[in-house]
């Protein structure tokens, strides 16, 4: 099939799946269709290990959205399928350039749409289909659009057709046609502008030969002075960080016990301080090891001090993890406390990648390229796993288990709560859970709009 065949086919499928429906299982189905079509359309040379990983993750994300239908699974679906088609066109393009590619394609949609010669076949259409397109499709489309416009602008015009009943929501159908075509066109016919291609090499992980020779960052600062500045700065920062780690751990583990509210506020303040410290640490190291210092034979001390600083920051992260664990043991699981672990783990990975960058003499782009994949992995984990169910299951073991909190504030906890009600022989709670509005709403939805998780709650 040609590009225009894919565009028209997926537009029609989008209309069939989404017209007069809410978002639910239909998004999972259309994602699977897009993924499978992309797989067969991709040339053999672009079917790399990364491509196969993205193909599998797009299918799993589609299944996750059909099951949960929440924002994390939606984010996983969109990011997976967009990355899949992006890599299907060019296996060497960096993931960081995906955003400018999306922006330029969406903003130039109208211009590219009217450039018919670039996406429609240049050869003539066979006589029958040519007449169908010219005599039926185009006139019907124009009549449909202007009928809607005139009906909205004149009540008398609309009343002329009051005796004719159409079981069709014209505006919704028009919106589905436009949205479906917009998505299909930009998916199958996206372009990577020349200026983006030209800047792809900037995001390479390794230095070129001409970049190896040490050079000063600024013309007013000599190389020796800049190197010494880095040594002095890192010595001072290491000493400062050692004192911070000591005071930080003393406040966390040895000060008198505070109220839960105050402890929660202080814990989040300290976690924020740790994360900001890690980010600033990585930025400082990126500044000093952005180019020549990676190969400077006199920068041995600077590298040692940088590695010590990274190690100390890792100790700070581990301290925060231990405190967060202690906090969970005392007061139970919540989304925020699990989120703290996620941020701290990503921070620790960032530090490890920074250490590798210095050790293997990588460019700063190596950190961005690598961390983008870890962030994508975090999105996938958030969408595939029922964290609400885990939170409820673990907190059920506690004596201070708050049923109402988990019933109203924790998503996808209904199965665990029903199990809890059965264990406690609480028929009233069981009826309350089964009669929750979100369960009734989802179970009464149309087939394509259903979220599968709620269909198995009985």
């Amino acid at each position: 099939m040609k590009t225009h065949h894919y565009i028209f086919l997926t537009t029609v499928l989008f209309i069939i799946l989404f017209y007069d429906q809410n978002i639910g299982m239909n998004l999972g189905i259309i994602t699977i269709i897009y993924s499978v079509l992309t797989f067969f359309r991709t040339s053999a040379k672009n079917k790399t290990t990364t491509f196969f990983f993205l193909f599998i993750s797009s299918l799993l994300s589609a299944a996750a959205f059909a099951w949960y239908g929440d924002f994390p699974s939606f984010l996983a679906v969109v990011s997976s399928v967009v990355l899949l088609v992006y890599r299907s066109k060019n296996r060497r393009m960096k993931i960081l350039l995906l955003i400018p590619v999306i922006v330029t394609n969406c903003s130039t949609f109208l211009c590219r749409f009217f450039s018919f010669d670039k996406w429609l076949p240049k050869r003539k259409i066979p006589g029958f289909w040519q007449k169908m397109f010219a005599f039926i499709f185009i006139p019907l489309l124009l009549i449909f659009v202007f009928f809607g416009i005139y009906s909205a602008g004149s009540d008398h015009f609309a009343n002329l057709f009051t005796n004719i009943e159409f079981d069709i929501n014209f505006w919704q159908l028009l919106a589905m046609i436009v949205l479906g075509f917009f998505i299909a066109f930009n998916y199958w016919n996206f372009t990577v502008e020349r200026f983006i291609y030209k800047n792809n090499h900037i995001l390479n992980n390794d230095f070129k030969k001409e970049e190896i020779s040490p050079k000063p960052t600024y013309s007013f600062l000599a190389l020796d002075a800049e190197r010494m500045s880095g040594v002095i700065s890192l010595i001072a920062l290491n000493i400062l960080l050692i004192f911070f780690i000591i005071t930080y751990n003393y406040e966390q583990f040895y000060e008198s016990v505070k109220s839960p509210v105050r402890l929660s506020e202080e814990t989040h303040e300290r976690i924020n301080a740790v994360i900001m410290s890690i980010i600033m640490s990585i930025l400082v190291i990126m500044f000093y090891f952005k180019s020549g210092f990676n190969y400077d034979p006199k920068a041995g001390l600077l590298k040692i001090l940088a590695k010590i600083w990274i190690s100390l920051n890792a100790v700070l992260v581990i301290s925060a993890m231990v405190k967060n664990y202690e906090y969970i043991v005392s007061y139970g699981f919540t989304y925020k406390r699990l989120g703290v672990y996620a941020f701290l783990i990503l921070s620790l990975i960032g530090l490890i990648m920074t250490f590798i960058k210095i050790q293997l003499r990588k460019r700063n782009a190596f950190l961005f390229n690598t961390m983008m994949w870890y962030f994508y992995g975090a999105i996938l984990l958030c969408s595939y796993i029922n964290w609400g169910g885990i939170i409820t299951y673990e907190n059920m073991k506690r004596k201070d288990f708050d049923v109402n909190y988990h019933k109203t504030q924790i998503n996808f906890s209904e199965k665990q709560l029903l199990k809890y009600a059965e264990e406690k022989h609480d028929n009233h709670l069981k009826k309350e859970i089964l009669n929750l509005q979100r369960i009734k709403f989802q179970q009464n939805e149309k087939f394509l709009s259903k979220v599968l998780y709620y269909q198995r709650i009985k």
Side-chain angles (χ1 to χ4, degrees), residues 167-298:
D167 192 20
I168 297 174
N169 186 328
F170 288 104
W171 288 112
Q172 186 184 143
L173 181 58
L174 178 61
M176 291 299 101
I177 292 170
V178 173
L179 181 60
F181 183 82
F182 177 81
I183 293 170
F185 186 87
N186 284 300
Y187 187 88
W188 299 114
N189 193 46
F190 80 92
T191 57
V192 180
E193 299 297 334
R194 186 174 297 178
F195 76 92
I196 297 177
Y197 267 123
K198 286 183 177 179
N199 288 308
N200 190 51
H201 73 278
I202 296 174
L203 296 174
N204 288 338
N205 291 334
D206 299 304
F207 289 99
K208 295 180 180 179
K209 289 183 179 179
E210 58 268 24
E211 296 174 322
I212 290 177
S213 58
K215 296 177 182 177
T217 305
Y218 305 105
S219 57
F220 61 84
L221 194 63
L223 184 63
D224 290 338
E226 186 174 346
R227 188 191 306 112
M228 185 53 64
S229 169
V231 170
I232 294 170
S233 298
L234 286 174
I235 289 173
L237 289 171
N238 274 316
I239 294 171
L240 188 66
L241 183 55
I242 289 170
F243 279 104
F244 178 72
I245 290 172
I246 293 170
T247 56
Y248 181 84
N249 282 283
Y250 175 78
E251 288 175 354
Q252 286 198 125
F253 300 107
Y254 296 104
E255 278 194 343
S256 58
V257 179
K258 300 180 176 68
S259 65
V261 175
R262 182 58 188 158
L263 182 59
S264 175
E265 291 175 355
E266 287 188 359
T267 301
H268 287 109
E269 287 171 2
R270 289 167 184 166
I271 296 298
N272 291 336
V274 170
I275 293 171
M276 283 303 300
S277 171
I278 303 304
I279 293 171
M280 291 304 298
S281 301
I282 293 172
L283 290 175
V284 169
I285 290 172
M286 286 172 63
F287 173 76
Y288 281 112
F289 291 92
K290 58 186 174 297
S291 56
F293 278 132
N294 289 275
Y295 293 91
D296 186 356
K298 298 180 181 179

Side-chain angles (χ1 to χ4, degrees), residues 46-90:
N46 286 336
K47 288 182 178 177
T48 61
T49 304
T50 302
F51 176 83
F52 280 106
F53 166 74
L54 290 170
F55 174 67
I56 293 169
S57 65
S58 64
L59 296 179
L60 293 175
S61 299
F65 188 86
W67 185 259
Y68 294 116
D70 58 351
F71 180 73
S73 55
F74 174 79
L75 194 60
V77 161
V78 173
S79 56
S80 296
V81 78
V82 170
L83 280 170
L84 179 68
V85 73
Y86 181 65
R87 277 305 177 98
S88 72
K89 287 283 187 79
N90 193 315

